[in-house]
Amino acid sequence: IRLAGELISDTELITMLEECETANGGDPITFFEITTAAAFLAFSRHPADLLLLETGLGGRLDATSVVERPALTVLTPISLDHQQYLGDRLEKIAGEKAGILKAGVACVVASQQRKVEKVIARRAADQGAPLIREGKEWFVRGGVVFSGGGKTRRLPPPPLAGAHQVRNAGLAVACLDQLGDFAVADAAIALGMKAVQWPARLQRLAGGPLVDILPDGWELWLDGGHNAAAARALARQARRWRERPLHLIFGMLRTKDPLAFLQPLAGKVNALRAVAIPGGESSLSAEETAAAAARLGIDAAAAVEIGAALQSLVDHFPSPARVLICGSLYLAGEVLRENG
């Protein structure tokens, strides 16, 4: 929850949650539902020109879908995720995700697999929702060169690791182009491109107690991706990181598939240390994730916690290396907390 660009304070968050709990009157409610309600309450007390809402599971039954007429909807690339709730086939998941489309409201769509495109197109036709599609109504190329609405401009690339972030930037620009009542000058977009930050998405940690464990010449990176699509993006970046070995510290929730996540990274990783997500009752154990990695031929061992995992890698592999902590946003949050 960000208000005018700043994270909500603990004091205000507690106040919002207490008000929502009182209004709920003890009825059943999920963690995501109560925090979404608290977010809406906070947003209502901090008027803004524009509100960005990110779905949770995404789609038809998502708590954020109570907004009946948004200015715009957006679909990022859809892949297998949350299968226990949304279904085990990509078309089923796409159908649920496409539930955010609203009657008469334009939807900006990132490039999708063909089977997903068909599902989105059917939902859009049913709702009378115009589609603004990557590769048809708008285009982005490395650099960043963005074309859409008959206009082409060259923008600075975002200072984020990973080629996928260029496409993410293009998607953001495509959205701005659809907000006719919220005009943003190209100079302001360029400034935003240069200044963007995205914690826990291929974020290099430059200092802190965890970084201090590593000798000179080592690097520590963090990513909260937790599904196969995220792992493929990490694997593409790993192919560019060939000048030194890559080690993983890996933890994952029990609701996710460690084999599917690690498969794209197998063969690109020198060693892995598995950890349980601290405080996470639904976390896979370190032994379970280490076993999954070993099944893929990865040199893996369990560690009791993140610091011990880093120290184990340093002790066993003295050459300068790059360490990537990944597998869960919950784990990423713990890493950021521990690292100060």
Side-chain angles (χ1 to χ4, degrees):
I1 303 174
R2 288 185 177 270
L3 306 170
E6 299 296 327
L7 283 172
I8 190 172
S9 69
D10 289 349
T11 300
E12 185 168 10
L13 177 59
I14 290 169
T15 299
M16 299 298 109
L17 286 168
E18 288 177 343
E19 288 191 42
C20 290
E21 289 281 11
T22 299
N24 191 50
D27 288 336
I29 192 167
T30 67
F31 172 82
F32 186 78
E33 288 167 345
I34 194 71
T35 51
T36 300
F40 281 135
L41 186 58
F43 295 147
S44 73
R45 294 176 182 173
H46 295 266
D49 298 304
L50 194 68
L51 170 60
L52 296 174
L53 283 178
E54 182 184 7
T55 61
L57 293 178
R60 184 172 63 92
L61 299 179
D62 196 86
T64 60
S65 286
V66 297
V67 177
E68 294 182 354
R69 180 118 188 138
L72 189 69
T73 60
V74 188
L75 287 172
T76 56
I78 294 172
S79 60
L80 290 174
D81 200 6
H82 303 297
Q83 291 98 310
Q84 70 273 31
Y85 301 110
L86 303 182
D88 57 3
R89 294 187 302 113
L90 193 56
E91 296 92 332
K92 176 65 175 174
I93 293 172
E96 294 291 330
K97 297 277 188 181
I100 66 169
L101 271 67
K102 306 292 186 181
V105 176
C107 179
V108 178
V109 187
S111 180
Q112 307 284 347
Q113 297 184 45
R114 182 65 61 84
K115 61 180 76 173
V116 172
E117 287 180 351
K118 293 179 179 178
V119 173
I120 295 171
R122 284 197 298 269
R123 171 70 180 182
D126 290 343
Q127 293 293 311
L131 294 180
I132 317 299
R133 300 157 295 180
E134 181 180 3
K136 293 183 174 64
E137 285 76 29
W138 62 275
F139 306 84
V140 63
R141 296 188 298 278
V144 175
V145 178
F146 179 84
S147 300
K151 182 179 181 181
T152 297
R153 64 263 213 196
R154 183 176 295 275
L155 298 165
L160 301 171
H164 57 287
Q165 296 293 9
V166 172
R167 291 183 60 202
N168 284 335
L171 181 64
V173 177
C175 291
L176 286 174
D177 280 352
Q178 296 303 311
L179 297 172
D181 295 332
F182 189 76
V184 180
D186 285 357
I189 295 175
L191 180 62
M193 287 284 200
K194 293 177 182 177
V196 65
Q197 298 179 5
W198 199 341
R201 291 295 186 183
L202 273 175
Q203 175 188 5
R204 183 177 177 184
L205 303 180
L210 294 177
V211 176
D212 291 344
I213 294 173
L214 299 176
D216 290 343
W218 288 62
E219 292 179 4
L220 184 59
W221 291 72
L222 178 65
D223 193 272
H226 49 255
N227 60 26
R232 287 192 292 271
L234 293 179
R236 287 192 292 271
Q237 183 64 19
R239 286 195 288 269
R240 305 177 65 179
W241 279 343
R242 292 181 176 176
E243 82 284 1
R244 68 185 79 183
L246 175 63
H247 306 310
L248 295 188
I249 294 177
F250 178 65
M252 181 163 271
L253 293 178
R254 190 168 296 281
T255 53
K256 306 298 180 183
D257 185 347
L259 282 171
F261 183 89
L262 291 171
Q263 181 74 57
L265 291 160
K268 301 173 182 64
V269 174
N270 195 59
L272 180 148
R273 293 295 178 266
V275 295
I277 300 169
E281 294 181 0
S282 58
S283 171
L284 288 164
S285 70
E287 290 74 19
E288 287 172 314
T289 48
R295 286 177 60 186
L296 296 171
I298 300 173
D299 179 358
V304 294
E305 46 88 24
I306 299 161
L310 283 168
Q311 191 61 58
S312 173
L313 290 171
V314 170
D315 291 343
H316 286 83
F317 306 96
S319 299
R322 185 174 280 112
V323 180
L324 172 63
I325 305 175
C326 60
S328 169
L329 281 169
Y330 292 96
L331 177 62
E334 183 64 22
V335 169
L336 292 174
R337 187 191 68 78
E338 287 191 29
N339 200 50

PDB file of all heavy atoms in Angstrom, residues 188-204:
ATOM      1  N   ALA A 188       8.516  13.414 -18.883  1.00  0.00           N
ATOM      2  CA  ALA A 188       8.210  12.840 -17.569  1.00  0.00           C
ATOM      3  C   ALA A 188       8.314  11.316 -17.605  1.00  0.00           C
ATOM      4  O   ALA A 188       8.780  10.687 -16.653  1.00  0.00           O
ATOM      5  CB  ALA A 188       6.811  13.267 -17.127  1.00  0.00           C
ATOM      6  N   ILE A 189       7.870  10.717 -18.712  1.00  0.00           N
ATOM      7  CA  ILE A 189       8.001   9.258 -18.854  1.00  0.00           C
ATOM      8  C   ILE A 189       9.480   8.870 -18.847  1.00  0.00           C
ATOM      9  O   ILE A 189       9.882   7.902 -18.188  1.00  0.00           O
ATOM     10  CB  ILE A 189       7.324   8.776 -20.150  1.00  0.00           C
ATOM     11  CG1 ILE A 189       5.820   9.018 -20.086  1.00  0.00           C
ATOM     12  CG2 ILE A 189       7.601   7.288 -20.379  1.00  0.00           C
ATOM     13  CD1 ILE A 189       5.078   8.687 -21.364  1.00  0.00           C
ATOM     14  N   ALA A 190      10.307   9.628 -19.558  1.00  0.00           N
ATOM     15  CA  ALA A 190      11.742   9.342 -19.595  1.00  0.00           C
ATOM     16  C   ALA A 190      12.352   9.454 -18.200  1.00  0.00           C
ATOM     17  O   ALA A 190      13.193   8.629 -17.806  1.00  0.00           O
ATOM     18  CB  ALA A 190      12.437  10.299 -20.560  1.00  0.00           C
ATOM     19  N   LEU A 191      11.915  10.453 -17.428  1.00  0.00           N
ATOM     20  CA  LEU A 191      12.409  10.604 -16.062  1.00  0.00           C
ATOM     21  C   LEU A 191      12.007   9.408 -15.215  1.00  0.00           C
ATOM     22  O   LEU A 191      12.799   8.888 -14.414  1.00  0.00           O
ATOM     23  CB  LEU A 191      11.861  11.901 -15.459  1.00  0.00           C
ATOM     24  CG  LEU A 191      12.291  12.219 -14.019  1.00  0.00           C
ATOM     25  CD1 LEU A 191      13.798  12.394 -13.944  1.00  0.00           C
ATOM     26  CD2 LEU A 191      11.581  13.468 -13.526  1.00  0.00           C
ATOM     27  N   GLY A 192      10.763   8.954 -15.389  1.00  0.00           N
ATOM     28  CA  GLY A 192      10.306   7.779 -14.661  1.00  0.00           C
ATOM     29  C   GLY A 192      11.100   6.536 -15.021  1.00  0.00           C
ATOM     30  O   GLY A 192      11.424   5.717 -14.159  1.00  0.00           O
ATOM     31  N   MET A 193      11.414   6.385 -16.294  1.00  0.00           N
ATOM     32  CA  MET A 193      12.222   5.247 -16.738  1.00  0.00           C
ATOM     33  C   MET A 193      13.577   5.225 -16.025  1.00  0.00           C
ATOM     34  O   MET A 193      14.057   4.173 -15.585  1.00  0.00           O
ATOM     35  CB  MET A 193      12.446   5.320 -18.247  1.00  0.00           C
ATOM     36  CG  MET A 193      11.221   4.993 -19.080  1.00  0.00           C
ATOM     37  SD  MET A 193      10.891   3.223 -19.120  1.00  0.00           S
ATOM     38  CE  MET A 193       9.860   3.152 -20.584  1.00  0.00           C
ATOM     39  N   LYS A 194      14.190   6.389 -15.916  1.00  0.00           N
ATOM     40  CA  LYS A 194      15.524   6.467 -15.317  1.00  0.00           C
ATOM     41  C   LYS A 194      15.489   6.214 -13.808  1.00  0.00           C
ATOM     42  O   LYS A 194      16.451   5.724 -13.232  1.00  0.00           O
ATOM     43  CB  LYS A 194      16.133   7.843 -15.585  1.00  0.00           C
ATOM     44  CG  LYS A 194      16.441   8.120 -17.046  1.00  0.00           C
ATOM     45  CD  LYS A 194      16.964   9.537 -17.220  1.00  0.00           C
ATOM     46  CE  LYS A 194      17.227   9.869 -18.685  1.00  0.00           C
ATOM     47  NZ  LYS A 194      17.676  11.276 -18.858  1.00  0.00           N
ATOM     48  N   ALA A 195      14.370   6.568 -13.177  1.00  0.00           N
ATOM     49  CA  ALA A 195      14.316   6.550 -11.717  1.00  0.00           C
ATOM     50  C   ALA A 195      13.653   5.301 -11.142  1.00  0.00           C
ATOM     51  O   ALA A 195      13.642   5.125  -9.922  1.00  0.00           O
ATOM     52  CB  ALA A 195      13.555   7.783 -11.225  1.00  0.00           C
ATOM     53  N   VAL A 196      13.107   4.423 -11.994  1.00  0.00           N
ATOM     54  CA  VAL A 196      12.316   3.302 -11.488  1.00  0.00           C
ATOM     55  C   VAL A 196      13.140   2.379 -10.590  1.00  0.00           C
ATOM     56  O   VAL A 196      14.323   2.116 -10.851  1.00  0.00           O
ATOM     57  CB  VAL A 196      11.699   2.506 -12.664  1.00  0.00           C
ATOM     58  CG1 VAL A 196      12.769   1.836 -13.504  1.00  0.00           C
ATOM     59  CG2 VAL A 196      10.709   1.477 -12.161  1.00  0.00           C
ATOM     60  N   GLN A 197      12.503   1.917  -9.528  1.00  0.00           N
ATOM     61  CA  GLN A 197      13.079   0.917  -8.635  1.00  0.00           C
ATOM     62  C   GLN A 197      12.055  -0.188  -8.430  1.00  0.00           C
ATOM     63  O   GLN A 197      10.852   0.066  -8.404  1.00  0.00           O
ATOM     64  CB  GLN A 197      13.445   1.534  -7.283  1.00  0.00           C
ATOM     65  CG  GLN A 197      14.502   2.619  -7.363  1.00  0.00           C
ATOM     66  CD  GLN A 197      14.820   3.211  -6.001  1.00  0.00           C
ATOM     67  OE1 GLN A 197      14.323   2.748  -4.971  1.00  0.00           O
ATOM     68  NE2 GLN A 197      15.646   4.227  -6.000  1.00  0.00           N
ATOM     69  N   TRP A 198      12.535  -1.426  -8.289  1.00  0.00           N
ATOM     70  CA  TRP A 198      11.615  -2.538  -8.083  1.00  0.00           C
ATOM     71  C   TRP A 198      12.258  -3.529  -7.112  1.00  0.00           C
ATOM     72  O   TRP A 198      12.973  -4.438  -7.518  1.00  0.00           O
ATOM     73  CB  TRP A 198      11.303  -3.217  -9.413  1.00  0.00           C
ATOM     74  CG  TRP A 198      10.044  -4.046  -9.383  1.00  0.00           C
ATOM     75  CD1 TRP A 198       9.393  -4.527  -8.292  1.00  0.00           C
ATOM     76  CD2 TRP A 198       9.290  -4.500 -10.512  1.00  0.00           C
ATOM     77  NE1 TRP A 198       8.282  -5.236  -8.653  1.00  0.00           N
ATOM     78  CE2 TRP A 198       8.195  -5.234 -10.008  1.00  0.00           C
ATOM     79  CE3 TRP A 198       9.437  -4.351 -11.884  1.00  0.00           C
ATOM     80  CZ2 TRP A 198       7.257  -5.824 -10.843  1.00  0.00           C
ATOM     81  CZ3 TRP A 198       8.496  -4.946 -12.706  1.00  0.00           C
ATOM     82  CH2 TRP A 198       7.421  -5.670 -12.191  1.00  0.00           C
ATOM     83  N   PRO A 199      12.030  -3.328  -5.815  1.00  0.00           N
ATOM     84  CA  PRO A 199      12.642  -4.233  -4.834  1.00  0.00           C
ATOM     85  C   PRO A 199      12.277  -5.677  -5.089  1.00  0.00           C
ATOM     86  O   PRO A 199      11.148  -5.988  -5.482  1.00  0.00           O
ATOM     87  CB  PRO A 199      12.057  -3.731  -3.497  1.00  0.00           C
ATOM     88  CG  PRO A 199      11.679  -2.316  -3.757  1.00  0.00           C
ATOM     89  CD  PRO A 199      11.224  -2.271  -5.188  1.00  0.00           C
ATOM     90  N   ALA A 200      13.265  -6.546  -4.887  1.00  0.00           N
ATOM     91  CA  ALA A 200      13.076  -7.996  -4.968  1.00  0.00           C
ATOM     92  C   ALA A 200      12.758  -8.498  -6.364  1.00  0.00           C
ATOM     93  O   ALA A 200      12.221  -9.582  -6.535  1.00  0.00           O
ATOM     94  CB  ALA A 200      12.017  -8.478  -3.981  1.00  0.00           C
ATOM     95  N   ARG A 201      13.092  -7.708  -7.384  1.00  0.00           N
ATOM     96  CA  ARG A 201      12.991  -8.190  -8.759  1.00  0.00           C
ATOM     97  C   ARG A 201      14.362  -7.999  -9.400  1.00  0.00           C
ATOM     98  O   ARG A 201      14.705  -6.932  -9.885  1.00  0.00           O
ATOM     99  CB  ARG A 201      11.915  -7.422  -9.542  1.00  0.00           C
ATOM    100  CG  ARG A 201      10.504  -7.720  -9.072  1.00  0.00           C
ATOM    101  CD  ARG A 201      10.091  -9.166  -9.306  1.00  0.00           C
ATOM    102  NE  ARG A 201       8.690  -9.411  -8.982  1.00  0.00           N
ATOM    103  CZ  ARG A 201       8.095 -10.591  -9.051  1.00  0.00           C
ATOM    104  NH1 ARG A 201       8.776 -11.653  -9.429  1.00  0.00           N
ATOM    105  NH2 ARG A 201       6.825 -10.731  -8.745  1.00  0.00           N
ATOM    106  N   LEU A 202      15.172  -9.061  -9.325  1.00  0.00           N
ATOM    107  CA  LEU A 202      16.562  -8.990  -9.757  1.00  0.00           C
ATOM    108  C   LEU A 202      17.219  -7.728  -9.194  1.00  0.00           C
ATOM    109  O   LEU A 202      17.777  -6.906  -9.909  1.00  0.00           O
ATOM    110  CB  LEU A 202      16.675  -9.054 -11.278  1.00  0.00           C
ATOM    111  CG  LEU A 202      16.738 -10.463 -11.857  1.00  0.00           C
ATOM    112  CD1 LEU A 202      16.728 -10.440 -13.389  1.00  0.00           C
ATOM    113  CD2 LEU A 202      17.979 -11.222 -11.370  1.00  0.00           C
ATOM    114  N   GLN A 203      17.106  -7.610  -7.886  1.00  0.00           N
ATOM    115  CA  GLN A 203      17.672  -6.476  -7.160  1.00  0.00           C
ATOM    116  C   GLN A 203      19.043  -6.862  -6.624  1.00  0.00           C
ATOM    117  O   GLN A 203      19.188  -7.859  -5.913  1.00  0.00           O
ATOM    118  CB  GLN A 203      16.754  -6.093  -5.999  1.00  0.00           C
ATOM    119  CG  GLN A 203      17.311  -4.992  -5.097  1.00  0.00           C
ATOM    120  CD  GLN A 203      16.454  -4.788  -3.854  1.00  0.00           C
ATOM    121  OE1 GLN A 203      15.492  -5.523  -3.620  1.00  0.00           O
ATOM    122  NE2 GLN A 203      16.795  -3.800  -3.054  1.00  0.00           N
ATOM    123  N   ARG A 204      20.045  -6.064  -6.940  1.00  0.00           N
ATOM    124  CA  ARG A 204      21.361  -6.297  -6.353  1.00  0.00           C
ATOM    125  C   ARG A 204      21.432  -5.615  -4.996  1.00  0.00           C
ATOM    126  O   ARG A 204      21.143  -4.423  -4.871  1.00  0.00           O
ATOM    127  CB  ARG A 204      22.483  -5.769  -7.252  1.00  0.00           C
ATOM    128  CG  ARG A 204      23.861  -6.095  -6.648  1.00  0.00           C
ATOM    129  CD  ARG A 204      25.011  -5.672  -7.502  1.00  0.00           C
ATOM    130  NE  ARG A 204      26.262  -5.958  -6.814  1.00  0.00           N
ATOM    131  CZ  ARG A 204      27.464  -5.631  -7.285  1.00  0.00           C
ATOM    132  NH1 ARG A 204      27.572  -5.012  -8.460  1.00  0.00           N
ATOM    133  NH2 ARG A 204      28.546  -5.923  -6.587  1.00  0.00           N
TER     134      ARG A 204
END
